[in-house]
Amino acid sequence: MFRNLGIGIIGGGNMAEAMIKGLIQGGIAADKIEVAEPVAGRRDFLAERYAVGVSADNTKVATGCRLILLAIKPQMVDSVLSGISSAINGDTLLISIMAGVPCSIIESLFPTPVKVVRAMPNTPALALQGATAIAAGTHASAEDMTLAAEIFTMVGKCWQVDEKLIDAVTGLSGSGPAYVLTFIEALSDAGVKNGLPREVASGLALQTVYGTACLLNETGEHPALLREKVTSPGGTTIAGLQALEVGGFRGTVMRCVEAATQRSMELGKKK
């Protein structure tokens, strides 16, 4: 429903690049995408790699776009949005991927009502396997939410939630790739500790996590049920699981997500 719309992206970092890649692979013509990025080298890279339009001028990119993706750092919200306010009208949809910035803050920076959708994607979007949750601002319509969901489905999977839950999304899936990467690294280190060459240990760890995720996704079963299928009485797996329980693995993961959620809430209060 947005294939003929001009799409402006303010900020040209990794997540912006993931969105560009997904939009183009999803059938959006590169000449429909304009990116505002202050770093010349980054502009050159995006233009060369994806053939999108680039500019150092935020207002130039925002002018005339029906859809604008805000892919900037949270601390830049005041200066950037005040700078593009003249280019925004009631028909413009603003999609924000800024962590910790509520829709109400964005809405308050414009003199007239604006349509805002808040999104929390994660870095696997770079491989078109992202997990994104979206929430509607005060003036966003059902059609706007459908449009936002269609965009993020191009880089993975998308869920709609109430905005009050976005901090929990940030703590779980937004920061989650870092937890998973740490787990993969720990598996690899454990393999090396027990005599495996690093290359073999790293490959086994990565494929084990990837394959297990694929299996879980394909079967749709509860993780506990799948775990039972590889846990034989008196076997190696139950011995390993006991060590995880003694180390408080599940409780640690839950506290990890809670800590990240609380930090997201704190960042939002500072705006």
Side-chain angles (χ1 to χ4, degrees):
M1 60 187 290
F2 61 92
R3 306 203 179 260
N4 293 318
L5 299 177
I7 300 174
I9 302 177
I10 310 297
N14 287 335
M15 195 56 66
E17 183 181 353
M19 298 307 302
I20 293 167
K21 182 178 180 181
L23 289 168
I24 291 174
Q25 291 196 9
I28 304 301
D31 61 9
K32 295 289 185 182
I33 303 172
E34 295 283 335
V35 183
E37 165 59 42
V39 178
R42 186 65 178 171
R43 290 197 302 272
D44 293 342
F45 168 80
L46 293 173
E48 181 178 349
R49 173 68 64 88
Y50 300 103
V52 296
V54 295
S55 174
D57 188 336
N58 293 337
T59 302
K60 179 181 177 182
V61 168
T63 300
C65 287
R66 162 71 173 78
L67 190 154
I68 297 174
L69 180 69
L70 300 173
I72 56 176
K73 296 183 184 301
Q75 57 267 34
M76 299 170 62
V77 61
D78 289 352
S79 60
V80 170
L81 296 192
S82 62
I84 66 171
S85 62
S86 62
I88 305 303
N89 58 52
D91 292 327
T92 306
L93 174 61
L94 297 171
I95 300 179
S96 168
I97 62 172
M98 293 182 287
V101 181
C103 291
S104 59
I105 293 294
I106 297 172
E107 292 165 350
S108 71
L109 295 173
F110 293 90
T112 57
V114 291
K115 300 190 294 184
V116 179
V117 171
R118 184 178 175 188
M120 177 47 61
N122 63 8
T123 52
L126 284 163
L128 306 184
Q129 293 294 331
T132 303
I134 58 174
T138 305
H139 308 291
S141 66
E143 182 184 53
D144 295 325
M145 293 298 287
T146 298
L147 175 57
E150 185 177 350
I151 288 171
F152 287 105
T153 298
M154 288 182 168
V155 294
K157 294 186 177 182
C158 183
W159 291 262
Q160 183 173 340
V161 300
D162 290 334
E163 189 179 9
K164 64 183 180 181
L165 298 175
I166 288 289
D167 291 314
V169 172
T170 303
L172 195 162
S173 58
S175 299
Y179 318 151
V180 176
L181 290 167
T182 301
F183 177 62
I184 293 172
E185 182 183 27
L187 280 179
S188 177
D189 286 346
V192 172
K193 183 177 185 294
N194 285 277
L196 290 173
R198 172 62 71 181
E199 182 179 354
V200 174
S202 296
L204 287 170
L206 172 59
Q207 186 60 30
T208 297
V209 172
Y210 175 73
T212 303
C214 289
L215 179 63
L216 185 62
N217 185 59
E218 182 177 310
T219 63
E221 292 191 63
H222 192 282
L225 294 177
L226 284 179
R227 187 178 67 233
E228 284 300 311
K229 292 179 181 180
V230 296
T231 309
S232 302
T236 60
T237 303
I238 192 63
L241 287 172
Q242 182 188 26
L244 286 180
E245 292 297 330
V246 171
F249 178 75
R250 285 189 288 184
T252 299
V253 172
M254 293 172 70
R255 289 191 295 275
C256 170
V257 172
E258 184 176 8
T261 299
Q262 291 298 319
R263 181 55 180 161
S264 179
M265 295 171 66
E266 291 170 4
L267 290 173
K269 290 176 182 178
K270 290 180 180 180
K271 304 303 172 191

